[in-house]
Amino acid sequence: MDARAVPTWLHAQIEYLRNNAPLPLKVENLRAGTRGGHVMDRFTLLVPCCLSNVKWEVVFNGLDAKVAPDIIFGVDDESFQPLANSSEFSPGSFLRDWTVTEPNSLLKLILVTRGSYLDYQRHRVEAVNDPRVKFEINTMSGLQGLEMCITTASDRSEEVNFAVPLVLEVEAPHLPGSHLPSSTLWNDISLQVKFPLQRGQTSAGPPQLKLVAPPAMREVFDVDDVRLPVWPGNICLVEYIPSLQQTLQQQVREARASIALRRSFMEALFPFFGRPLEADATYCRRISLLASSGAFTFLVHLALPIQFPKVQPTLTFQSSQHFDTRGRPLVSRTYMDYPWSPRWDAPQMAQRIMDFVADECIAFKKQCNDLLHHQR
Amino acid sequence: MKAGGGVKGLSRLDAVKQALVLFVHSKLLMHPQHRFSVATLSNNAVWHQQEFTNDMEVIGQAVRSLASGGAFTCCDLSELFQIAAAEAHSSHALDRTLRVVLIYCRSSVVPEVEVQLPGKQRLFTFDALYLHDKPTRDNCPQCVYDVLVDALERVSEFEGYIFESSSGSACVLFRHMCLLLSHPQQRCPQDEFDAPKDLAKMVAPVPRTSSSGGLPQLRKEGEDDGSGPRTF
């Protein structure tokens, strides 16, 4: 019987961190210190820095809650010495006064250490003796939430990274029936900028640009789809960002409008198909319906794309009465090519979908019967 | 059971197994993160596949290995509800909602449910599917049905649905199973549930009633299917 356990006091610290961290900190690989050991008192922590994650190992002594943890940084960060600073809110002072009486001690330690780490990275970037990098830093010092670091690419060359949170104007009201705090979602898009260094110098061309957003946003908006404005000649980031923000704002507005259009389309289906079995009411990307044609009962699964209504929903039929040799219900191909126009209003779209389903289900039933006949 | 569609001459147990597989597959097509477990009823509830999973192979294996445990003369549902209440707490911690779908097949054994159920909270949604023989002098399917309806009303977090059939038709069973696919957080009262509509007869859409309003957001489901062993 596996008797490995996390000490209660450590569990409390980890749970507090998981539930209250203001950034996406991730705890992984919770394990014992020795092979076959029973006390799980160390783990890997993924810490966001400059839109990627650094990996730290956090090591506790599971048998003694009074002992402060150790943190082991990555191999590329050997020159990061957070204990060199012994001021009031430094990692050193948190370790000196370490106690587990409050469950937030671990989180506070990690946040303050992360702050030191970001300062260390900033000094590394400031030390790069390249006029372009220096110019970027000087013009960007006023940007809220800016982070910078130096990373080592796979070929051992170095890159200067800047991460800039983009502030978008989110003016539309709270979506009805949605628990989504709209401002949080739409203000989580950041721009990641990389300047590769060759022999300590940047090259003349534009930097590598990438938009980064939390994975949940992909349900409503895919930042990879955004065509970034061209980087015109010899400008700096601070001059580039406003035009990017404008482009993004427009596309975000369209994405929000699309959610509303998907919602009214889904509601327009109710009079034709009755109550749906299950619908994604948050992002309005999926809805499943139960239908029948005479004695044939079947399901219709619809998937609504982000670019709805320009791109039409996909439809899949599923039988309730026909099963393959492994007992799974028979499912049709995915239909993407039925009659459709984005210019129809929602009730018209629903009517045409119903017409299509009413016709096509006969063919689907025949396919199912034929398939079963061949199975025997 | 009677043949229909592609299913010929299934025993009631085999039809129920097929219905369970239909249910799980359909739910996973709607959202891949729904999870399922299986329990059985003898005199009371016993786990058959305790760990909730969305792995079709694991569930398929669990369903295939279901077998009759013989005839039982009593059935206490209270323990089923206790097990479910405990699971419901874990589900809520994971921001999931728990459902119990009971498939009950005894025509002569009226299930018992404690009059005073522990805890006032309704923690999970309870649905029932009742397959029974036609009423005779020696059995009491109406009593069973009434007890199940009462349990639904007392225990279920969201609107519980109940279906019964003595027809022995596999297709009717599968159709009822499809109706149970309905997500509890988006349900209307059972007598207002208007799907499926027969598209072969549709000419114009039915005007919207007040019940077909906007849909609330979903939590993902965990399903615990309780199946009573059958007396043939």
Side-chain angles (χ1 to χ4, degrees):
Chain A
M1 176 77 169
D2 191 351
R4 291 180 314 161
V6 184
T8 323
W9 51 267
L10 179 54
H11 178 83
Q13 296 288 326
I14 295 176
E15 282 309 296
Y16 188 91
L17 182 145
R18 275 193 175 128
N19 296 328
N20 296 284
L23 339 136
L25 296 169
K26 196 155 181 264
V27 173
E28 277 185 352
N29 198 14
L30 184 52
R31 60 198 187 272
T34 58
R35 194 203 299 267
H38 293 286
V39 179
M40 302 183 41
D41 58 6
R42 54 209 64 201
F43 53 90
T44 307
L45 189 65
L46 297 176
V47 181
C49 163
C50 228
L51 298 175
S52 36
N53 283 324
V54 288
K55 265 193 195 177
W56 294 346
E57 299 301 317
V58 180
V59 180
F60 280 89
N61 179 345
L63 300 172
D64 191 342
K66 292 194 288 296
V67 176
D70 271 328
I71 305 181
I72 307 171
F73 306 108
V75 287
D76 293 332
D77 292 325
E78 279 181 359
S79 50
F80 177 42
Q81 300 289 342
L83 294 179
N85 171 11
S86 55
S87 67
E88 195 190 340
F89 292 109
S90 65
S93 74
F94 275 88
L95 290 171
R96 261 197 318 274
D97 301 331
W98 178 261
T99 168
V100 293
T101 6
E102 294 298 320
N104 59 4
S105 303
L106 174 63
L107 178 60
K108 287 204 294 206
L109 173 66
I110 296 298
L111 291 177
V112 85
T113 308
R114 179 180 180 269
S116 290
Y117 184 76
L118 290 173
D119 284 340
Y120 149 78
Q121 286 286 2
R122 175 180 270 260
H123 287 127
R124 289 181 77 198
V125 174
E126 285 168 350
V128 171
N129 197 4
D130 174 271
R132 189 176 192 183
V133 172
K134 292 214 178 299
F135 184 62
E136 292 288 3
I137 297 175
N138 286 337
T139 49
M140 278 201 293
S141 50
L143 277 179
Q144 268 279 55
L146 170 70
E147 290 178 11
M148 58 184 83
C149 68
I150 299 211
T151 52
T152 314
S154 45
D155 60 358
R156 308 304 303 165
S157 66
E158 289 192 324
E159 296 171 329
V160 175
N161 296 278
F162 294 101
V164 184
L166 298 171
V167 178
L168 303 177
E169 266 167 38
V170 183
E171 74 285 283
H174 193 63
L175 289 170
S178 163
H179 299 171
L180 263 183
S182 36
S183 56
T184 310
L185 190 65
W186 300 107
N187 280 308
D188 270 347
I189 306 182
S190 303
L191 177 66
Q192 189 182 56
V193 184
K194 282 184 197 278
F195 289 97
L197 293 176
Q198 270 146 4
R199 289 189 291 274
Q201 301 289 299
T202 58
S203 59
Q208 294 165 22
L209 300 169
K210 186 167 168 230
L211 286 174
V212 177
M217 194 179 287
R218 199 155 279 143
E219 289 287 321
V220 292
F221 185 64
D222 195 343
V223 286
D224 293 334
D225 283 344
V226 176
R227 237 200 327 216
L228 297 170
V230 166
W231 183 281
N234 278 340
I235 64 159
C236 62
L237 259 175
V238 155
E239 292 168 304
Y240 178 74
I241 283 173
S243 69
L244 172 61
Q245 265 170 267
Q246 224 174 346
T247 305
L248 210 50
Q249 210 132 269
Q250 178 54 33
Q251 298 194 27
V252 159
R253 268 189 212 117
E254 282 168 12
R256 284 175 65 94
S258 183
I259 303 179
L261 290 172
R262 292 199 293 272
R263 174 167 282 119
S264 42
F265 166 71
M266 277 176 26
E267 288 174 359
L269 292 169
F270 293 16
F272 292 94
F273 290 95
R275 194 92 181 160
L277 293 175
E278 185 172 309
D280 162 23
T282 313
Y283 303 115
C284 302
R285 297 293 308 278
R286 272 186 290 241
I287 182 167
S288 291
L289 309 160
L290 188 63
S292 65
S293 181
F296 178 47
T297 306
F298 58 97
L299 284 83
V300 184
H301 302 288
L302 287 99
L304 282 62
I306 308 178
Q307 307 91 336
F308 178 92
K310 206 161 43 171
V311 178
Q312 70 199 86
T314 61
L315 255 71
T316 314
F317 291 81
Q318 182 210 314
S319 175
S320 76
Q321 296 159 208
H322 305 86
F323 304 90
D324 65 15
T325 46
R326 290 176 55 184
R328 296 172 303 193
L330 294 183
V331 170
S332 75
R333 70 172 170 93
T334 305
Y335 291 85
M336 305 187 251
D337 49 359
Y338 53 90
W340 178 262
S341 166
R343 282 182 294 281
W344 293 333
D345 63 16
Q348 246 177 319
M349 291 176 175
Q351 169 81 61
R352 297 296 290 260
I353 291 221
M354 193 215 70
D355 291 340
F356 176 75
V357 169
D359 285 337
E360 191 67 19
C361 71
I362 315 285
F364 173 58
K365 179 170 119 180
K366 182 169 187 313
Q367 276 165 30
C368 290
N369 286 335
D370 289 345
L371 210 76
L372 287 193
H373 188 75
H374 284 118
Q375 268 174 197
R376 282 185 214 129
Chain B
M1 297 190 82
K2 295 205 283 284
V7 276
K8 283 179 102 75
L10 285 182
S11 72
R12 187 190 264 168
L13 178 58
D14 286 339
V16 168
K17 289 185 183 184
Q18 183 68 85
L20 292 177
V21 171
L22 168 66
F23 184 89
V24 171
H25 260 292
S26 307
K27 269 299 186 188
L28 289 176
L29 277 174
M30 295 181 200
H31 198 304
Q33 291 304 319
H34 288 308
R35 302 236 172 105
F36 309 85
S37 68
V38 185
T40 57
L41 285 177
S42 47
N43 294 316
N44 42 35
V46 172
W47 280 115
H48 182 72
Q49 161 62 40
Q50 181 169 9
E51 197 184 319
F52 281 86
T53 176
N54 56 358
D55 184 336
M56 201 54 234
E57 292 301 318
V58 172
I59 288 289
Q61 179 54 34
V63 169
R64 276 191 293 277
S65 62
L66 287 169
S68 169
F72 296 90
T73 52
C74 65
C75 178
D76 186 354
L77 291 183
S78 310
E79 199 188 333
L80 174 67
F81 294 148
Q82 274 164 30
I83 291 176
E87 278 300 333
H89 284 119
S90 314
S91 295
H92 286 144
L94 295 169
D95 201 23
R96 288 176 164 272
T97 178
L98 181 72
R99 293 179 59 178
V100 176
V101 179
L102 172 66
I103 302 178
Y104 194 81
C105 302
R106 303 177 194 174
S107 306
S108 311
V109 179
V110 180
E112 289 147 38
V113 185
E114 270 164 24
V115 173
Q116 195 57 31
L117 288 163
K120 289 256 162 75
Q121 284 179 292
R122 291 158 177 267
L123 295 166
F124 54 88
T125 300
F126 180 54
D127 294 319
L129 190 52
Y130 182 36
L131 307 176
H132 58 91
D133 302 327
K134 296 218 186 316
T136 65
R137 257 196 315 227
D138 301 320
N139 64 19
C140 52
Q142 184 63 53
C143 291
V144 173
Y145 182 80
D146 292 340
V147 167
L148 291 174
V149 168
D150 182 64
L152 233 78
E153 285 170 0
R154 285 201 284 144
V155 155
S156 192
E157 181 186 4
F158 295 103
E159 173 89 3
Y161 286 174
I162 178 165
F163 300 101
E164 62 78 33
S165 171
S166 58
S167 70
S169 157
C171 282
V172 168
L173 169 61
F174 299 149
R175 185 185 169 101
H176 285 155
M177 211 66 194
C178 285
L179 291 164
L180 287 174
L181 290 170
S182 169
H183 197 298
Q185 285 176 288
Q186 294 179 336
R187 286 185 184 175
C188 58
Q190 183 165 355
D191 50 15
E192 289 173 27
F193 193 81
D194 52 353
K197 291 191 186 291
D198 189 345
L199 300 182
K201 296 200 180 115
M202 287 281 286
V203 173
V206 173
R208 271 175 60 169
T209 63
S210 56
S211 66
S212 56
L215 297 172
Q217 281 191 342
L218 299 180
R219 282 185 253 138
K220 291 175 279 291
E221 295 176 22
E223 250 92 24
D224 169 9
D225 298 306
S227 315
R230 278 131 291 282
T231 57
F232 295 102

